[in-house]
């Protein structure tokens, strides 16, 4: 299935960067597009990515206490040096998040209501054909040098 065109965002905005990054990732995933001679939909063939690294003996959904306001303010102040849209990050391996150990880019920062969380656009792993955007706590995200 060939993707439909989306309304173009304003140039220079984060929305424009997200659209360009998403298009680039889609182009990397698709290996070939084979049109059908008799009018049927085109067939897309996808590249196989390296499989996600397995997480060794870790409870995925363990609960942990919330941060108090002072701890949260301190964590956000320390993350202010590197936390920005387009930053390459990795979800910490010891995180209870289901995508622990995966890498990606900070896709979007949250409003002040959820200032302790970010959206991370994960790199494809294995046979993933769709994009994965994870909603992750800032304390579970580690920056990666570019």
């Amino acid at each position: 299935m060939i993707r439909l065109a989306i309304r173009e965002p304003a140039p220079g905005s984060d929305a424009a960067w997200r659209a360009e990054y998403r298009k680039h990732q889609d182009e990397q995933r698709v290996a070939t597009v084979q049109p059908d001679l008799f009018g049927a939909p085109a067939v897309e063939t996808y590249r196989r990515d390296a499989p996600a690294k397995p997480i060794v003996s870790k409870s995925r959904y363990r609960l942990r206490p919330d941060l108090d306001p002072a701890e949260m303010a301190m964590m956000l102040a320390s993350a202010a040096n590197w936390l920005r849209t387009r930053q390459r990050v990795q979800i910490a391996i010891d995180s209870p998040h289901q995508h622990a150990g995966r890498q990606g880019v900070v896709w979007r920062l949250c409003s002040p209501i959820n200032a302790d969380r970010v959206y991370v656009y994960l790199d494809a792993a294995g046979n993933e054909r769709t994009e994965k955007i994870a909603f992750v706590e800032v304390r579970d995200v580690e920056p990666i040098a570019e």
Side-chain angles (χ1 to χ4, degrees), residues 3 7 10-11 13 20 30 37 52 54 61 63-65 68 75-76 94-96 104 107 116 120 127 146:
R3 307 201 192 299
R7 182 177 58 88
S13 67
E20 183 179 308
V30 176
L37 297 174
Y61 301 106
L63 297 176
R64 60 183 172 184
D68 64 25
M75 176 193 63
L76 292 175
D94 60 347
S95 164
W107 192 244
D116 64 327
V120 178
N127 280 341
E146 293 180 15

Side-chain angles (χ1 to χ4, degrees), residues 79-89 105-107 109 146:
N81 293 327
W82 60 266
L83 185 63
R84 65 186 191 292
T85 306
R86 307 176 196 184
Q87 170 67 39
R88 297 268 324 146
V89 294
V105 295
V106 174
W107 192 244
L109 301 176
E146 293 180 15

Side-chain angles (χ1 to χ4, degrees), residues 57-136:
S57 68
K58 180 181 75 68
S59 171
R60 256 190 199 178
Y61 301 106
R62 60 175 190 232
L63 297 176
R64 60 183 172 184
D66 291 336
L67 296 175
D68 64 25
E71 290 174 330
M72 185 180 302
M74 195 166 50
M75 176 193 63
L76 292 175
S78 68
N81 293 327
W82 60 266
L83 185 63
R84 65 186 191 292
T85 306
R86 307 176 196 184
Q87 170 67 39
R88 297 268 324 146
V89 294
Q90 176 177 355
I91 299 176
I93 292 177
D94 60 347
S95 164
H97 196 274
Q98 65 181 352
H99 297 295
R102 300 270 305 264
Q103 294 183 354
V105 295
V106 174
W107 192 244
R108 189 179 296 230
L109 301 176
C110 291
S111 68
I113 296 169
N114 284 331
D116 64 327
R117 296 179 184 269
V118 294
Y119 289 96
V120 178
Y121 188 106
L122 299 172
D123 295 341
N127 280 341
E128 288 182 351
R129 295 183 179 184
T130 59
E131 58 191 22
K132 302 276 188 289
I133 300 175
F135 188 56
V136 185

Side-chain angles (χ1 to χ4, degrees), residues 14-80:
D14 279 342
W17 171 81
R18 282 193 281 273
E20 183 179 308
Y21 189 83
R22 179 177 275 148
K23 181 180 176 187
H24 178 70
Q25 292 298 320
D26 282 342
E27 289 171 356
Q28 280 188 324
R29 273 189 211 108
V30 176
T32 62
V33 177
Q34 180 180 359
D36 189 76
L37 297 174
F38 303 107
V43 176
E44 291 180 340
T45 306
Y46 293 89
R47 287 188 174 85
R48 182 181 294 257
D49 295 305
K53 296 175 185 171
I55 306 300
V56 180
S57 68
K58 180 181 75 68
S59 171
R60 256 190 199 178
Y61 301 106
R62 60 175 190 232
L63 297 176
R64 60 183 172 184
D66 291 336
L67 296 175
D68 64 25
E71 290 174 330
M72 185 180 302
M74 195 166 50
M75 176 193 63
L76 292 175
S78 68

